[in-house]
């Protein structure tokens, strides 16, 4: 495990900051509200077509050369697949130390069930051409809320024209939504005949180092298509700047529900549309109406907490490539991939925040009420942004991911970090369609997208001059020294342990390896077993007494990270197993435990879903 994550030292990036102008933290209420109740979500198969149907558009695999655009398939034809996620106690490093290769040779679309067929061919040529870097930077992405009226109309016009394309066009809005559905909601398998795997395994681009580059590619071709549709090669996809106080609300341009607004989506959580967002998914404080000028202490505390989430994600916990981008993709360690902070923190929280929680009041879930079919043939109305299968149906998703991409851009440029140098990662390739008039497959590699200028875009320099989350000053939740320890010794729980909301689990006296030069210390929790259709989230802290644990949050030095996933499909039935590996050297230093031989690991469940921890947490070097 450590060999897959430990590549460089784990000391946090040192940032020189001015005295904080953000409000000091204050204790938020832990009282849940009806509108903040956690919900369970299911998957989708269908995407609305231009004809009003709920049919899923996806190009056939032979046209796609396996990885082009998207493909679909129910995996019922692989009876062993449901058990393929059984816990693997062999370290990831021993299984595939270089990571598994990803290209058009190792994934496939299956058609075991007529309800989930591989779609018909499109007119696009089957042969992909290699991506060529753009020669100049023509597109500058800006915050959505700062767009001029003219820029807003241009954005609407582009999406309106994309929606008007027939669903058979791979650059149509329907097709673009299906691309995300197929790659991200388990419509692919990793082909055992082309790898060293013993049996098929589901494949998607989450929960590993595939997440940031794939989404950058996807958003890039989406942006280009919008510009082409309005004949403007300078059109840039604006981003939802939820990392700044002025952007901590669903942007107004997406909320206009008039018939001619193509950016509106009715499948969002109505309780969250006009309130201050919670970038911390575990934040159960009261909902507060958004007001960028508010001086209310509780409102300012909510803004401060949001800023601290981004600070933790970008600086304190996202210390290097594995910590920030994710761990190596390894099919032979099914369920053992690990998310980076870029994926599991603000990104996941905003998906869940924006997605709707169920059908309209007094209605049942059906196609008529905006539901979509999951892999089991049942309709789900906890959907759109709130589920990986339907997220691409909401135009807000693309501006959301434009900001996720910006977070990677800032991590690489302003913070001076570097990605992986493994050829396995750099040479991973995917095929996407370009040119809506004459669709052409383009094969693009991760090494092609490491610098945004190769893709012809950048981010507005004015909006980067002041990054308020860089000023977040963490405070201690409990006093330093001996007072950190509980008044009575904790008994070690017997594993496996089933987590339940607000029922704190304390694992006392976890051994800590001594610090070593050029090695990081990782808090590893593996064998996390969960229902993928539910909202799953727990926080992790170090040396917090049980009595204080429910107050743990990203504004405190004891906070060590979290586990959180966007709900997705349950393919083949059963549960899914995952892991987290948290870099804690900075946490240990901040709480005065850098030389400690043991620490208490505190796990705070935040959602209603029951998550099972099969193995006791360990700290590895």
């Amino acid at each position: 495990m450590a060999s897959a994550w430990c590549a460089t030292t784990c000391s946090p990036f040192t940032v020189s900051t001015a005295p904080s102008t953000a409000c000091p933290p204050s204790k938020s209420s832990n009282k849940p509200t009806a509108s903040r109740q956690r919900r369970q979500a299911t998957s989708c198969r269908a995407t609305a077509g231009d004809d009003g149907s709920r049919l899923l558009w996806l190009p056939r695999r032979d046209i796609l050369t396996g990885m082009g655009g998207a493909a679909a398939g129910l995996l019922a034809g692989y009876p062993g697949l449901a058990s393929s996620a059984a816990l693997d106690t062999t370290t990831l490093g021993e299984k595939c130390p270089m990571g598994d290769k990803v290209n058009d040779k190792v994934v496939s679309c299956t058609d075991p069930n007529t309800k989930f067929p591989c779609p018909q061919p499109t007119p696009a040529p089957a042969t992909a051409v290699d991506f060529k870097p753009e020669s100049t930077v023509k597109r500058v992405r800006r915050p959505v809320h700062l767009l001029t009226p003219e820029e807003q109309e241009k954005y609407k016009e582009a999406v309106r024209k994309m929606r008007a394309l027939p669903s058979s066009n791979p650059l149509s809005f329907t097709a673009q939504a299906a691309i995300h559905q197929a790659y991200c909601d388990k419509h692919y398998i990793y082909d055992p005949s082309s790898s060293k795997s013993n049996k098929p395994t589901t494949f998607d681009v989450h929960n590993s180092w595939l997440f940031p580059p794939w989404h950058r590619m996807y958003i890039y071709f989406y942006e280009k298509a919008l510009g082409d549709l309005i004949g403007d090669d300078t059109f840039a996809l604006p981003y939802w700047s939820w990392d700044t106080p002025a952007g901590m609300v669903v942007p107004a341009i997406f909320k206009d529900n008039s018939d001619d607004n193509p950016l509106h989506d009715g499948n969002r959580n109505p309780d969250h549309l006009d309130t201050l967002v919670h970038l911390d998914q575990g934040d159960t404080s009261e909902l507060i109406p958004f007001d960028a000028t508010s001086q209310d202490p509780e409102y300012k505390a909510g803004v401060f907490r949001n800023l601290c989430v981004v600070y933790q994600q970008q600086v304190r916990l996202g210390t290097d490539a594995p910590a920030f981008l994710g761990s190596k993709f390894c099919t032979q360690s099914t369920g053992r991939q690990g998310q980076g902070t870029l994926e599991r923190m603000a990104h996941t929280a905003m998906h869940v925040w924006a997605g709707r929680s169920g059908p309209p009041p007094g209605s049942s879930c059906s196609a008529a009420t905006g539901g979509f079919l999951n892999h089991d043939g049942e309709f789900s109305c906890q959907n759109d942004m709130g589920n990986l299968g339907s997220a691409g149906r909401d135009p807000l998703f693309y501006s959301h991911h434009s900001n996720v991409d910006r977070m990677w851009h800032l991590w690489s440029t302003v913070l001076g970090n570097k990605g992986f140098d493994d050829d396995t990662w750099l040479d991973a390739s995917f095929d996407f369609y370009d040119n809506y008039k004459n669709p052409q497959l383009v094969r693009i590699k991760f090494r092609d997208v490491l610098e945004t200028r190769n893709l012809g875009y950048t981010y507005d320099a004015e909006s980067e001059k002041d990054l308020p989350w860089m000023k977040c000053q963490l405070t201690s939740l409990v006093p330093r020294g001996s007072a950190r320890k509980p008044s009575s010794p904790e008994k070690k729980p017997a594993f496996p342990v089933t987590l339940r909301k607000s029922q704190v689990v304390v694992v006392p006296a976890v051994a800590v390896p001594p610090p070593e030069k050029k090695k990081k210390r990782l808090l590893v929790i593996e064998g996390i077993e969960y229902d993928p259709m539910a909202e799953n989230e727990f926080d992790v802290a170090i040396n917090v007494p049980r009595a204080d644990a429910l107050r743990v949050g990203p504004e405190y030095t004891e906070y060590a990270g979290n586990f959180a996933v966007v709900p997705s499909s349950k393919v083949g039935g059963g549960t899914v197993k995952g892991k987290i590996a948290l870099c804690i050297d900075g946490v240990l230093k901040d709480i005065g435990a850098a030389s400690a031989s043991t620490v208490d690991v505190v796990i705070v469940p935040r959602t209603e879903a029951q998550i099972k921890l099969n193995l006791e947490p360990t700290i590895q070097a």
Side-chain angles (χ1 to χ4, degrees):
M1 182 71 64
S3 63
W5 279 77
C6 295
T8 60
T9 59
C10 189
S11 58
F13 184 85
T14 303
V15 181
S16 176
T17 60
S20 175
T21 57
C23 71
S26 62
K27 180 180 177 182
S28 299
S29 169
N30 286 309
K31 180 182 178 182
T33 63
S35 61
R36 247 328 247 181
Q37 289 180 349
R38 297 297 173 184
R39 59 197 185 274
Q40 187 175 9
T42 53
S43 171
C44 75
R45 174 183 70 92
T47 300
D50 57 293
D51 58 356
S53 68
R54 315 300 292 181
L55 299 177
L56 174 66
W57 179 99
L58 294 168
R60 188 186 293 275
R61 181 180 186 273
D62 55 357
I63 294 297
L64 216 73
T65 64
M67 293 298 288
L74 184 67
L75 301 173
Y78 294 92
L81 189 59
S83 61
S84 68
L87 182 64
D88 178 2
T89 57
T90 305
T91 64
L92 189 155
E94 291 175 337
K95 286 267 184 173
C96 49
M98 299 304 294
D100 279 339
K101 294 182 179 180
V102 176
N103 53 46
D104 59 324
K105 306 297 182 184
V106 293
V107 295
S108 60
C109 173
T110 60
D111 186 14
N113 188 317
T114 56
K115 291 183 180 180
F116 298 85
C118 293
Q120 297 299 310
T122 72
T127 303
V129 299
D130 290 332
F131 170 79
K132 294 182 179 180
E134 297 198 28
S135 57
T136 58
V137 175
K138 296 182 178 180
R139 303 183 299 281
V140 180
R141 295 181 181 176
R142 300 180 60 237
V144 173
H145 72 278
L146 294 182
L147 295 181
T148 66
E150 180 183 359
E151 290 169 333
Q152 291 181 29
E153 288 307 312
K154 184 179 293 186
Y155 189 13
K156 291 179 180 180
E157 179 189 2
V159 176
R160 188 178 295 114
K161 289 187 174 182
M162 180 177 277
R163 285 186 179 275
L165 291 175
S167 59
S168 59
N169 189 312
L171 277 304
S172 68
F173 190 82
T174 300
Q176 292 297 299
I179 289 172
H180 186 267
Q181 178 176 344
Y183 276 118
C184 303
D185 201 33
K186 301 177 179 66
H187 288 277
Y188 278 106
I189 63 167
Y190 199 87
D191 190 348
S193 64
S194 303
S195 69
K196 297 179 180 179
S197 302
N198 295 322
K199 52 190 172 183
T201 181
T202 52
F203 172 85
D204 66 49
V205 294
H206 289 80
N207 306 313
S208 76
W209 65 4
L210 302 178
F211 172 80
W214 185 90
H215 282 82
R216 174 168 285 182
M217 295 170 172
Y218 174 50
I219 294 296
Y220 164 73
F221 285 102
Y222 176 84
E223 177 183 68
K224 278 199 67 182
L226 291 179
D228 290 345
L229 283 161
I230 58 175
D232 183 355
D233 62 0
T234 68
F235 173 82
L237 182 66
Y239 59 89
W240 176 16
S241 56
W242 34 252
D243 64 301
T244 63
M248 292 179 180
V249 68
V250 175
I253 190 174
F254 293 96
K255 291 184 288 189
D256 174 12
N257 62 359
S258 58
D259 292 338
D260 64 344
N261 182 17
L263 300 178
H264 178 259
D265 184 297
N267 295 333
R268 298 180 189 137
N269 189 327
D271 296 327
H272 293 169
L273 291 179
D274 298 306
T275 60
L276 181 71
V277 301
H278 289 177
L279 288 181
D280 174 22
Q281 188 178 344
D283 184 356
T284 57
S285 59
E286 297 286 346
L287 296 176
I288 305 176
F290 175 78
D291 180 1
T293 64
S294 176
Q295 297 301 309
D296 177 75
E298 285 298 316
Y299 187 93
K300 294 177 70 176
V303 171
F304 178 82
R305 186 184 184 97
N306 285 339
L307 295 176
C308 288
V309 170
V310 184
Y311 172 75
Q312 295 273 16
Q313 167 186 301
Q314 298 290 122
V315 180
R316 186 172 185 247
L317 303 178
T319 55
D320 65 0
F324 183 73
L325 301 176
S327 65
K328 298 179 180 182
F329 174 75
C330 179
T331 59
Q332 298 175 71
S333 296
T334 304
R336 294 283 305 280
Q337 271 63 263
Q339 301 171 323
T341 58
L342 178 64
E343 180 180 354
R344 72 171 183 265
M345 297 189 75
H347 157 261
T348 292
M350 287 299 90
H351 267 281
V352 173
W353 177 264
R356 72 168 176 169
S357 58
S363 303
S364 59
C365 187
S366 65
T369 56
F372 63 91
L373 288 173
N374 62 27
H375 282 274
D376 296 325
E378 300 292 334
F379 281 101
S380 169
C381 281
Q382 297 163 318
N383 56 322
D384 285 23
M385 274 281 281
N387 189 282
L388 291 179
S390 56
R393 302 192 324 189
D394 187 345
L396 179 62
F397 165 86
Y398 301 94
S399 283
H400 168 51
H401 264 275
S402 183
N403 201 35
V404 174
D405 180 78
R406 173 172 162 265
M407 293 294 104
W408 181 17
H409 173 72
L410 293 173
W411 183 83
S412 301
T413 56
V414 176
L415 300 181
N417 294 296
K418 294 183 179 180
F420 299 95
D421 59 6
D422 305 49
D423 286 340
T424 302
W425 186 69
L426 294 170
D427 290 330
S429 65
F430 292 86
D431 296 351
F432 289 91
Y433 280 107
D434 195 12
N435 189 352
Y436 79 95
K437 294 179 180 177
N438 184 25
Q440 169 66 59
L441 280 173
V442 178
R443 179 168 294 113
I444 185 169
K445 296 181 178 181
F446 284 5
R447 66 172 72 248
D448 296 326
V449 303
L450 301 185
E451 297 182 3
T452 63
R453 65 172 176 265
N454 287 342
L455 301 171
Y457 74 90
T458 189
Y459 288 91
D460 181 18
E462 286 299 315
S463 66
E464 312 301 355
K465 287 183 178 179
D466 179 29
L467 299 173
W469 41 268
M470 295 280 281
K471 304 172 185 176
C472 176
Q473 302 293 322
L474 305 180
T475 59
S476 296
L477 177 60
V478 294
R480 292 180 179 273
S482 59
R484 287 183 173 277
K485 294 294 182 180
S487 56
S488 58
E490 290 278 355
K491 294 182 179 179
K492 185 166 291 190
F495 285 82
V497 171
T498 299
L499 304 182
R500 293 177 173 83
K501 185 177 181 180
S502 300
Q503 295 184 14
V504 176
V505 175
V506 178
V507 185
V510 178
V512 180
E516 296 183 50
K517 189 176 182 180
K518 295 185 178 181
K519 284 189 177 181
K520 65 175 81 172
R521 288 177 290 186
L522 302 173
L523 172 56
V524 179
I525 304 177
E526 50 192 329
I528 303 171
E529 188 174 352
Y530 61 96
D531 177 358
M533 295 195 297
E535 290 177 24
N536 299 275
E537 203 261 352
F538 62 80
D539 288 336
V540 182
I542 295 177
N543 284 359
V544 174
R546 182 182 294 274
D548 297 310
L550 290 179
R551 296 170 54 209
V552 164
E555 65 268 46
Y556 295 114
T557 56
E558 295 86 354
Y559 179 82
N562 71 331
F563 170 81
V565 294
V566 181
S568 62
S569 293
K570 182 187 292 186
V571 181
T575 55
V576 174
K577 291 187 174 69
K579 69 156 190 180
I580 51 175
L582 309 174
C583 177
I584 60 169
D585 276 351
V587 181
L588 295 175
K589 179 181 178 180
D590 289 344
I591 67 174
S595 300
S597 58
T598 66
V599 295
D600 293 349
V601 174
V602 182
I603 299 170
V604 186
R606 296 298 191 184
T607 51
E608 298 290 350
Q610 294 186 7
I611 306 172
K612 181 185 288 186
L613 303 184
N614 286 287
L615 299 175
E616 182 177 332
T618 61
I619 298 176
Q620 306 173 11

